[in-house]
Amino acid sequence: MTHPTNTDSSTPTAQDGAATELVVDVGPIAHGGHFVARHEGRVIFVRHGIPGEKVRVRLTDSGESSRFWRADVVDVLEASEDRTRHFWALADSLAAWRKGGPPVGGAELGHITLERQRLLKSEVLAEQLKRLAGVELNVDVELASASEPADGGSGLGWRTRASFGVTPGGRLGMHAHRSDVVIPVHEMPLALPGINELRLWDIDLHGISRVEVAAPANGSRPLVLLAPEEGTDARRLNRILGQLPHEVSVASFDPAGGEVLQLRGRTWVQESAAGHEYRVTGEGFWQIHKDAPDTLVGAVTSFLHDGGYLLPGSAVADLYAGAGLFTAPLADMAGVTGSVLSVEGSPGTSRDARKNLHGEPQVEIVQGRVERVLRQRPRSFDSLVIDPPRAGAGKAVVNQLIESGPRAIAYVSCDPASFARDLGYFQNRGWRLESLRAFDLYPHTHHLETVALLVPAA
């Protein structure tokens, strides 16, 4: 961990009888969207600050026996030149706490200029690579698309997916960070216009615990998923249905079991990327940023093709394949004389991949956990593409990947810590990092996406 800075020597002050406020100097960014400070030797993870600032923070998670505390900035005493007005009052920590409550999550870097956000994300990536893999490398975080303005524009209106809670009063809301508190919302500035235009905040959502929305970047029919509370009957669902625009598909879903039931229209959306059309059902995984699919496909195929690892006749595998975002372009490049194994654990998403790739005879779709499929169907590959969940692939899977004998692996990751850890596992088996790119696919949040090319060291 990067060393924190020392704080002002002020003593804690209690506010409203319970909350404690401190004055601290904000130190470097840490993985997870917070910044490191100290008070009397104790580490405090501070959100909504900028390195170098002097701020007043409100402790949100503390205890004398805790190894560290958590806090939100409530006042800026000495501001960074990179501080800017937050685009969303509900996510602005200063404005929210002035009104007596925490900000909504999901836009924790919105008070920082986009250029500085990318520099901070680059610092996080470099720190994780050094700490977990022993690799000293600084990588610039690129814009999501080459078509974006050089300064990144506003960083708004990019989300094709949005997840909402419901307040006890039946109104659409979002959670505060690390909290069960649901805060009513009347806009979602990071979402595509197609999501905001649904005006879900005007609907009485009594009987619903959660709402998921997918609005494809190609402008095709959006899908609203409603998670009913136990005991919610069909009449209540029909009343909600009647308040939604007729052209919107609506389905109910069970967050625990993943079952999706049609209420109106389709239970899936139609996505477009890399010259292909994709059906994605319910909560099935798809990249959130409107430009992410094309950007990531371009990075992966360029690494593999330019290195001579993906050519006509190649045997390749797409692991954690989802609905087949990478599988389809891999099949294009391997051609009918090649082969592509596509492995996805989710039954529903694997069915989508089967429908999306049904006209590609060189593609084999297998539903199952990656480690089980590799163990039960051992084979050799020229190259692999892996896009694991946030937790990463893990040591056992890394060993299985290497044992399949590929000449190269393209590793797509949404978490620099799990990627760096897995990179260490690869290095321990005699592999090395050949190339690495990073993309700002989540502006105004701490998240970033990386695409790495891994090859045997010898």
Side-chain angles (χ1 to χ4, degrees), residues 274 276 278 293-311 316 325-334 383-385 410-412 437 451-453:
H276 292 269
Y278 299 85
D294 285 321
T295 295
L296 295 176
V297 167
V300 166
T301 55
S302 292
F303 273 166
L304 294 179
H305 179 267
D306 295 350
Y309 308 115
L310 177 59
L311 302 170
V316 298
L325 171 62
F326 297 111
T327 307
L330 291 175
D332 292 342
M333 302 183 81
S383 59
L384 304 172
V385 175
Y411 188 137
V412 182
R437 296 179 70 182
V451 179
L453 180 64

Side-chain angles (χ1 to χ4, degrees), residues 219-239:
S220 62
R221 192 174 191 176
L223 171 65
V224 174
L225 294 172
L226 304 173
E229 295 176 339
E230 186 175 354
T232 299
D233 58 22
R235 289 178 300 175
R236 177 89 276 270
L237 290 176
N238 285 332
R239 282 197 291 272

